[in-house]
Amino acid sequence: ITNYNYAEYDRTVGEDDEVDCTTGTQAAALMVADAPGFVAVAPGARLLALRARQDGALPGTEEGDPIANYADAVLGGIEYKVDVLVITQSTQETPKYRAAIEAAQAAGIVIVAAAPILGSSGDFPASADGVISVGASGEGDIAAKESQPLASGQVTLAAPGDNIPTISPSGPGGAVWAIASGTSLAAAQVGATAALLIAYEPDLTPEQVAERLTRTADTAGITPPDPVLGAGIVNPIRALTEGSSSSASPSTQSPTAPNDPRDRAGTNPLITTTVIAIAGAAVVLAGLVILLSIAIPAANRRHRASRDEDAT
C-alpha cells in the first residue's frame, strides 16, 4: 500500500501509533480482501491510499479545510490515472470540489459516490450530474434505514449496506471481523463491480458502465426509480455477463463469467480504482480517507453469489 496525505496534518495516538480509518478499512475489505472465509468483490488488488480527512483534530493540530482536501484527493486520482473513483463521503458542494469532480469526469474516470445517510451535511458529489450515486439496501432488499435520497437528482442504484460482514483495522491478534452499515460500504461494492467491468471491457465509457450497472440491477420488490435504491441492487454477475443493452434476456444468459481476458493474446488489463473513504470518528491505514488503486488480475472473478433469478 502506498499512502499519500492530503489531510494537511497527522493525527496520532500515544507516541507512534497511527489512528486507523475504520470506514476506509471496511470499504477496502469489501472491494479487494481475500482472506480465509472472506472474499471481496474484486480481490487480489494493489492499493493506493490517499488520506483526505480525519475527523476530530487532536489538541494542538489543525484540520484545515476538509472539503478542499477532498478536492485535492480527487485531483490526485487524476494524477495517478485511476479509472474508477469511489467516494464514500457525502458533504457540501464547493466550487473547488465541483471543479475537481468535473475534471475527473473530463479525464474519463468513472465516479461512484455514496448517497447521504442520516446526519450527512450534504449530498455532494452523489448529486452531481454523471456520478453513479449509491444507496444502501438492508435485509429483504429494502432500503436501509439510514440511507437517504438525494435532495436534488436521483440515486442511481444500491448495494447491500446494512449489517454487512467486513474487516476492521487489525489489532494485536490480526484482522478484526466486523458487522458494519452505511452507504460507504454500498458504494465500495458498486465501485469494485465497475472496476471489474472495465477490467473485462476496457473500452467502456463511464456512461456505458453506469448503463450496464443500472440495467442489470436486481429489481425484485422495487419499483424503479426508487428514491433510495434507484434502479435496483447491483448484481456483479449480471453486469459482467449480460453485455450491451441489446443482449439476450437474463434467462438465456450463461451464469459463467466472461472468458478470462488473459487467455487472449496480447491482453493483460490493468484497472486502477480510487476509493475515498471517510470515517466518522477515530480512524486506519493512513487516516480517514483511503484512495485505492486496484490492479485486478483478470482471473479473479470471485464475485458475490448471483441472486435467485441468476440461479435458474
Side-chain angles (χ1 to χ4, degrees):
I1 299 175
T2 303
N3 301 309
Y4 296 92
N5 183 12
Y6 290 84
E8 300 182 359
Y9 72 96
D10 290 315
R11 180 171 183 234
T12 60
V13 172
E15 295 182 357
D16 300 315
D17 295 333
E18 290 186 351
V19 179
D20 287 340
C21 174
T22 301
T23 300
T25 301
Q26 292 170 350
L30 290 174
M31 295 185 71
V32 302
D34 191 355
F38 188 98
V39 179
V41 178
R46 297 195 304 265
L47 305 185
L48 172 66
L50 302 187
R51 181 185 349 186
R53 182 190 176 200
Q54 294 182 145
D55 284 351
L58 294 180
T61 66
E62 295 183 2
E63 188 170 353
D65 182 352
I67 299 179
N69 298 339
Y70 302 157
D72 289 341
V74 171
L75 295 175
I78 300 172
E79 177 184 355
Y80 297 119
K81 303 184 185 302
V82 304
D83 294 308
V84 180
L85 176 67
V86 182
I87 303 174
T88 63
Q89 172 77 7
S90 281
T91 188
Q92 300 173 9
E93 177 185 344
T94 67
K96 180 177 179 178
Y97 199 4
R98 173 169 284 279
I101 293 295
E102 291 175 347
Q105 291 173 320
I109 296 173
V110 175
I111 302 178
V112 178
I117 60 173
L118 290 171
S120 293
S121 62
D123 63 3
F124 192 81
S127 59
D129 291 342
V131 169
I132 299 173
S133 53
V134 184
S137 63
E139 184 177 358
D141 289 349
I142 62 174
K145 291 182 179 179
E146 68 173 6
S147 187
Q148 300 296 296
L150 302 179
S152 59
Q154 172 65 51
V155 170
T156 307
L157 78 167
D162 187 35
N163 293 323
I164 301 299
T166 185
I167 301 173
S168 281
S170 61
V176 177
W177 303 106
I179 301 295
S181 300
T183 55
S184 58
L185 305 182
Q189 296 168 74
V190 171
T193 303
L196 288 171
L197 270 176
I198 298 175
Y200 289 124
E201 302 180 52
D203 292 332
L204 288 176
T205 66
E207 294 77 16
Q208 289 171 325
V209 170
E211 187 277 334
R212 182 80 66 85
L213 292 172
T214 55
R215 177 171 50 79
T216 59
D218 290 332
T219 58
I222 302 170
T223 303
D226 183 90
V228 174
L229 304 179
I233 300 170
V234 69
N235 187 317
I237 292 293
R238 288 188 60 186
L240 289 166
T241 59
E242 293 192 13
S244 67
S245 57
S246 61
S247 297
S249 63
S251 62
T252 64
Q253 293 294 309
S254 168
T256 306
N259 290 333
D260 188 338
R262 294 186 300 180
D263 293 337
R264 299 196 295 269
T267 63
N268 185 13
L270 179 69
I271 170 70
T272 52
T273 297
T274 303
V275 173
I276 299 180
I278 301 179
V283 244
V284 235
L285 251 44
L288 271 187
V289 177
I290 306 285
L291 186 107
L292 302 179
S293 179
I294 302 176
I296 301 176
N300 283 339
R301 295 194 297 259
R302 285 174 265 186
H303 319 304
R304 292 186 177 276
S306 59
R307 310 184 89 82
D308 292 343
E309 64 185 28
D310 297 304
T312 58

